[in-house]
Amino acid sequence: MVLLEEKLERVKDSEEKKEIKIGIVGAGYVGLVTSIGLAYKGFKVLVFEKNKEKLNLLKKGIAPFYEPDLQKFLLNSLNSGNLEFVDEISQLVKSCKHIYICVGTPIKEDQTYDMSFLDAAAKEIANHLPSNEQKIIIIKSTVPPGTAKWFKKIIYRYRRGKKTNIEIASIPEFLREGNAIYDFFNPNRIIIGVDNKSIIDDLTQIYHDFPAPILIVSTTEAELIKLASNCFLSTKISFINSISDICEKLGCDIENVRTGIGLDNRIGLDFLKPGIGFGGSCLPKDLEAIISLFKEKQVDPILFEAVKKINNDRITLLMNKIKKALWNIKGKIITIWGISFKAGTDDIRESPTLKLIPHLLNEGAYLVLYDPKATHNFKNQFPQYSINPNIKITEDIYESTVNSNLIVITNDWEEYKKADFFKIYELMETPIIIDGRNIINYPEILEYGFEYYRIGVIYEST
Ligand code: UGA
């Protein structure tokens, strides 16, 4: 293990940087943010995205998903001439020495990663590799440990004995949706996984001026660091959710308890917010993946199975709170604030709201959904809900509360805190709020007359 504390003083000015051409395969969250970020830093970046609709939007300078500042940075990088979206993977394979693989690795029904996009990328790259130049392929997709080594093998396999000069690295990405641009420029650490030390200089040329320590490890270690980091975050969330459950039984307030725990520097307050469980395209997927990996290698996955169970049980717990608050759900109008899996994004993958909806419909509720950014994705991805007479999707927070019997808050947009609760109190039939993210100021909300329940504290509000 090498910690490059004093980063190499290379590539001092942007003129030299522009000589480095970087190819990126896949323009999802990681690929697009990496492309825009590296172009902004002065590198010449060529991006290939196989989804033609997305590619055309990107060529026109339109961000295909919501992410704070993404649109602005996309236009800036395109206008600088450093960023180009290309139609064929061959264009970037031929002209770039560094090729980042940022394709999706969704989880399959058997709870293992779907590697088909990586396989397809390996084949395409192999078909276009020049035999006389060295290429460095950098895996940035989240993958099972061992993938980088495999990727190299697969490329040689597709080369069918032709002269090949490639090296593989694994540089995992740690950015969060909703903070992706900020996180790209301000990472906590840069993990560079290599199995051949001769390419370290080539890679630090790209990363030397990021404000973060660089840790050099093997490719498999880098892959495990990524997986384990996400699973640690999941564990922290399930831990605090468990503590919040006991708080409710003991008459304690989780906010006081978590502050007391988190003020220990060794623990910290980050990722110690209780709620209705973690969602998104990463934490649940990586938890499944680590459980599968442990089972495959015959290591007991008990810790991660418990983390998963605690997370899955959050929706049952929320349903119990809803039943208790409403006494009878059938025929009631329930407003849900929150469709995306968290604030700052329109991404609805593995959002807790998606798990909650079928339970409430089964109980005979009428649902009114509101989210500042995610209604469009919800309508597109769940057309059956758009035509369900028991579901209304609205673009206006106040309209969502008209005649409502209960507001359930499932994600943590700032907008909810700033709502006019005096007005909402008047609009609702029975002014009750269940705050699944503990974001509303609760001594204050009681002054409006609401019945208000949150996670990890039980108190009499009426
Ligand atoms: C996560 C990691 O935080 C990133 O470092 C990583 O790069 C990314 O996955 C990835 O693998 O690509 P992300 O999925 O964007 O990022 O979202 P998080 O901010 O981690 O939140 C995940 C879920 O946990 C959300 O549903 C959020 O509401 C929930 N959460 C988060 C809590 O319930 N409590 C907390 O204290 C923090």
Side-chain angles (χ1 to χ4, degrees):
M1 181 181 81
V2 184
L3 186 58
L4 289 189
E5 272 160 355
E6 285 182 27
K7 283 169 243 153
L8 305 178
E9 280 302 308
R10 290 198 169 78
V11 200
K12 285 216 171 80
D13 58 48
S14 60
E15 280 315 303
E16 277 178 71
K17 274 186 178 173
K18 277 186 184 141
E19 284 168 18
I20 301 180
K21 266 192 175 180
I22 294 174
I24 309 244
V25 181
Y29 272 95
V30 170
L32 187 55
V33 173
T34 305
S35 314
I36 292 171
L38 290 175
Y40 190 83
K41 275 185 155 293
F43 298 102
K44 180 91 185 126
V45 181
L46 270 63
V47 187
F48 170 74
E49 163 57 53
K50 75 171 175 34
N51 179 326
K52 293 289 171 215
E53 202 183 324
K54 205 188 227 185
L55 185 72
N56 287 334
L57 282 177
L58 288 166
K59 281 183 175 177
K60 289 182 200 148
I62 302 168
F65 49 83
Y66 173 75
E67 178 65 36
D69 294 331
L70 186 72
Q71 183 62 61
K72 192 175 76 191
F73 274 83
L74 171 63
L75 287 175
N76 185 302
S77 295
L78 278 172
N79 293 339
S80 73
N82 283 349
L83 182 65
E84 190 187 339
F85 293 96
V86 297
D87 292 305
E88 302 296 334
I89 206 166
S90 57
Q91 290 169 265
L92 64 86
V93 174
K94 280 181 190 145
S95 60
C96 303
K97 179 172 184 186
H98 302 79
I99 301 167
Y100 283 76
I101 307 296
C102 303
V103 298
T105 47
I107 208 92
K108 293 186 292 186
E109 288 217 333
D110 67 358
Q111 309 305 342
T112 58
Y113 290 105
D114 177 352
M115 306 297 275
S116 58
F117 299 116
L118 272 176
D119 189 35
K123 187 172 174 179
E124 282 281 304
I125 290 170
N127 284 344
H128 301 290
L129 273 179
S131 49
N132 48 352
E133 281 170 52
Q134 189 192 46
K135 302 285 174 185
I136 299 176
I137 298 175
I138 301 152
I139 312 268
K140 236 185 192 327
S141 308
T142 302
V143 289
T147 299
K149 286 195 169 81
W150 248 110
F151 198 82
K152 192 171 180 181
K153 264 189 214 159
I154 300 288
I155 290 207
Y156 274 94
R157 193 184 278 171
Y158 284 126
R159 293 286 291 164
R160 299 166 61 89
K162 277 185 256 164
K163 198 173 164 216
T164 305
N165 185 0
I166 53 162
E167 286 301 335
I168 302 280
S170 168
I171 305 187
E173 184 52 65
F174 298 100
L175 56 82
R176 297 159 296 170
E177 290 182 22
N179 293 277
I181 298 284
Y182 176 86
D183 286 352
F184 176 83
F185 290 109
N186 301 281
N188 290 320
R189 76 288 206 198
I190 290 158
I191 306 294
I192 298 186
V194 288
D195 299 321
N196 178 349
K197 297 246 168 4
S198 71
I199 58 170
I200 291 176
D201 282 5
D202 277 298
L203 296 168
T204 46
Q205 274 186 327
I206 297 172
Y207 288 100
H208 75 106
D209 63 355
F210 278 79
I214 297 178
L215 183 68
I216 309 285
V217 293
S218 71
T219 54
T220 307
E221 284 163 349
E223 290 158 342
L224 183 58
I225 287 169
K226 165 70 189 187
L227 190 60
S229 298
N230 272 359
C231 292
F232 183 79
L233 296 176
S234 312
T235 306
K236 228 179 154 185
I237 299 169
S238 279
F239 165 83
I240 202 65
N241 282 335
S242 265
I243 299 295
S244 80
D245 291 348
I246 198 72
C247 279
E248 293 190 6
K249 305 287 178 194
L250 295 174
C252 301
D253 185 336
I254 186 64
E255 291 308 316
N256 294 334
V257 174
R258 77 175 271 271
T259 307
I261 300 170
L263 284 175
D264 182 331
N265 288 340
R266 294 170 303 172
I267 299 173
L269 280 161
D270 282 348
F271 273 76
L272 214 54
K273 284 202 258 7
I276 56 166
F278 54 81
S281 66
C282 308
L283 264 47
K285 173 180 97 165
D286 290 349
L287 197 54
E288 295 293 358
I290 210 164
I291 293 171
S292 299
L293 175 72
F294 271 50
K295 283 184 179 160
E296 186 197 316
K297 303 289 178 198
Q298 294 174 359
V299 178
D300 191 349
I302 183 170
L303 172 66
F304 303 109
E305 280 175 337
V307 170
K308 178 180 161 184
K309 180 175 185 313
I310 293 165
N311 199 51
N312 289 344
D313 288 350
R314 302 310 287 164
I315 294 299
T316 313
L317 202 117
L318 178 63
M319 273 304 289
N320 290 341
K321 277 187 192 288
I322 294 172
K323 281 182 191 161
K324 204 167 160 197
L326 282 182
W327 180 54
N328 164 45
I329 293 182
K330 194 167 184 324
K332 296 276 166 65
I333 300 179
I334 299 181
T335 303
I336 301 179
W337 284 355
I339 304 177
S340 62
F341 77 97
K342 65 171 185 177
T345 177
D346 59 1
D347 192 343
I348 65 172
R349 286 175 288 177
E350 295 292 322
S351 165
T353 304
L354 301 179
K355 295 185 199 160
L356 180 63
I357 290 173
H359 287 287
L360 291 174
L361 288 177
N362 278 345
E363 296 279 344
Y366 293 103
L367 305 180
V368 187
L369 305 186
Y370 172 75
D371 187 287
K373 292 284 177 206
T375 50
H376 180 70
N377 272 350
F378 182 73
K379 285 180 194 164
N380 276 349
Q381 291 174 37
F382 294 93
Q384 71 275 28
Y385 283 151
S386 302
I387 54 165
N388 186 323
N390 291 345
I391 297 186
K392 183 176 166 190
I393 303 158
T394 161
E395 304 296 329
D396 183 273
I397 192 164
Y398 298 105
E399 192 189 326
S400 75
T401 65
V402 174
N403 295 328
S404 174
N405 296 106
L406 167 72
I407 298 172
V408 184
I409 301 178
T410 58
N411 66 15
D412 49 353
W413 286 95
E414 284 291 311
E415 185 185 336
Y416 309 151
K417 291 191 205 170
K418 295 177 192 149
D420 179 347
F421 284 103
F422 181 73
K423 184 171 168 180
I424 290 172
Y425 182 90
E426 295 301 324
L427 290 172
M428 293 179 77
E429 185 180 56
T430 52
I432 312 174
I433 299 176
I434 295 182
D435 183 351
R437 295 288 174 190
N438 289 7
I439 58 162
I440 304 293
N441 182 329
Y442 81 89
E444 204 178 287
I445 196 79
L446 300 181
E447 288 165 21
Y448 293 97
F450 281 90
E451 223 178 288
Y452 174 75
Y453 305 98
R454 53 204 267 139
I455 305 290
V457 56
I458 294 288
Y459 65 97
E460 296 301 323
S461 66
T462 50

